[in-house]
């Protein structure tokens, strides 16, 4: 008898940013970590976006200690494949040629979700 594979989660940059700024969002993210830590992964793209958003050395050290190092120690950082990087765009894989008002940045959500079987909450 085989069991279904465990669902894997890759969190979006916006979830981390909200948690850094809002105590209620932080509490919600901490609850998620508590329940789903064994199934959580960090996208290298999200890590890069978070690194780019640091403004001080103290912010950088906190990010490294509280987020990046935690995922790195567990070998849970995933990166987009070259194939996926070449198909940045809409969900059909067609490149996005124009940017709609209020649309997500082009790099958001491009990591390998299908082969990893990950869900972006």
């Amino acid at each position: 008898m085989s069991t279904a594979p465990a669902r894997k989660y890759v969190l979006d940059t916006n979830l981390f940013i909200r948690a850094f700024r809002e105590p209620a969002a932080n509490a919600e993210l901490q609850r998620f970590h508590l329940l789903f830590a064994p199934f959580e992964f960090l996208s290298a793209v999200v890590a890069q976006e978070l690194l780019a958003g640091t403004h001080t050395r103290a912010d950088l050290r906190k990010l490294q200690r509280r987020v990046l190092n935690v995922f790195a120690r567990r070998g849970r950082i995933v990166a987009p494949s070259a194939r996926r990087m070449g198909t940045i765009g809409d969900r059909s894989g067609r490149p996005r040629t124009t940017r709609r008002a209020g649309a997500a940045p082009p790099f958001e959500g491009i990591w390998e979700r299908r082969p990893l079987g990950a869900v972006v909450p």
Side-chain angles (χ1 to χ4, degrees), residues 80-90 93-96 107 110 112:
S81 68
R83 181 182 61 78
R84 284 298 286 167
M85 288 296 291
T87 61
I88 295 169
D90 65 18
R94 292 188 310 268
R96 185 180 298 148
F107 290 107
I110 60 169
E112 277 293 347

Side-chain angles (χ1 to χ4, degrees), residues 10-20 25-26 28-29 120-121:
V10 178
L11 301 181
D12 186 66
T13 308
N14 294 323
L15 294 173
F16 286 104
I17 292 171
R18 278 189 55 228
F20 296 152
N26 189 302
E28 189 177 329
L29 183 58
V120 181

Side-chain angles (χ1 to χ4, degrees), residues 32-110:
F32 183 87
H33 290 323
L34 189 63
L35 295 170
F36 297 101
F39 314 104
E40 260 187 279
F41 291 80
L42 179 68
S43 163
V45 174
V46 169
Q48 189 63 41
E49 290 172 343
L50 293 172
L51 284 165
T54 60
H55 297 289
T56 67
R57 287 186 189 271
D59 288 345
L60 176 60
R61 283 192 300 274
K62 276 191 223 176
L63 176 63
Q64 288 172 327
R65 188 176 63 250
R66 296 179 184 175
V67 179
L68 304 180
N69 293 347
V70 173
F71 284 96
R73 275 194 309 269
R74 289 166 176 78
R76 299 219 173 190
I77 297 179
V78 295
S81 68
R83 181 182 61 78
R84 284 298 286 167
M85 288 296 291
T87 61
I88 295 169
D90 65 18
R91 295 200 186 274
S92 70
R94 292 188 310 268
R96 185 180 298 148
T97 55
T98 59
R99 184 117 188 253
R100 298 177 317 275
F107 290 107
E108 211 167 289
I110 60 169

